[in-house]
Amino acid sequence: MKKTALITGGTRGIGLGIARCLADEGYDLALNGIREEDKVKTILDELATKGIKVIYCRGNVGDRKDREKIISCIKENFSHLNLLVNNAGIPPRVRNDILEATEESFEEIIRTNLQGPYFLTQYMAKLMIAGKKKNKEIESLIINISSVSSTMASVNRGDYCISKAGISMASQLWAVRLAEFGIPVFEIRPGIVDTDMTRPVKEKYDKMLNEGLTLQNRWGKPEDVGKVVVMLAKGYLSYSTGQVIMVDGGMTVGRL
């Protein structure tokens, strides 16, 4: 039976890195994003050359009606879902000091980065449970992409840090709740990864990397995260549900 995966934010950055790695493993893919389909057609066509089925489920995960459209898209195109990767997320539009931060920014970030994946997981978990009841051979897995910002404080983007800290707890909650159904849940915490989200602050992080921010002195790449997703999807950590995998080049290793 062909394995299937839904990757939110799957047409750019870390999400696309994950999609490419899963495509190499023969996964049929549902990619979610907010851009018009014609804007991502080149990416969909590229992945399809791997001999897999690729569909685009457009929608904003932070919007309840769009989440319903995404799950309908999955039901219409796939008979089952093996893997959900909650990757979609946004940075604050303006990096304001928390003394100056706005409620509008906070609400947008929390809605997109935390509320969206939390309730999308609820939807998809029920779909996975129903699928496993029909066929016990179906393997299902959920992976949340958070950030080192879930534990490292950045006072000029507090809303983002709080949203990622929430994802960390959500990962544990879903690991506990879904254990009885044999659906493991993992959290991946990337560090400084070269994507369009981090490019506006590239100069800042280049300087910090040169000053020893990470043990491995380079930017992370989207495929660094994708390889870990593949490892988890293959079941190489089959007795480790609820665990966190750091993909940060050693940035969070304590040093004297």
Side-chain angles (χ1 to χ4, degrees), residues 10-59:
T11 63
R12 66 202 319 169
I14 289 175
L16 180 54
I18 293 168
R20 286 172 171 152
C21 289
L22 287 174
D24 286 340
E25 297 297 321
Y27 270 73
D28 286 339
L29 299 176
L31 304 185
N32 155 259
I34 59 173
R35 290 181 287 174
E36 296 284 349
E37 186 163 354
D38 64 331
K39 301 295 185 184
V40 299
K41 186 178 184 302
T42 301
I43 292 165
L44 303 180
D45 290 345
E46 171 208 325
L47 293 168
T49 63
K50 303 288 186 178
I52 62 171
K53 179 178 181 178
V54 185
I55 63 170
Y56 184 56
C57 299
R58 183 170 178 253

Side-chain angles (χ1 to χ4, degrees), residues 227-248:
K227 290 173 184 177
V228 176
V229 169
V230 168
M231 176 189 70
L232 295 173
K234 285 188 171 184
Y236 291 155
L237 291 184
S238 59
Y239 195 53
S240 300
T241 188
Q243 297 306 302
V244 179
I245 297 93
M246 308 300 296
V247 186
D248 66 355

Side-chain angles (χ1 to χ4, degrees), residues 11 22 26 62-63 67 81 86 89 114 159 175 216 228 249 256:
T11 63
L22 287 174
D63 182 276
R67 289 194 297 272
L81 184 68
N86 285 309
L114 179 55
D159 40 16
Q216 294 173 276
V228 176
L256 289 174

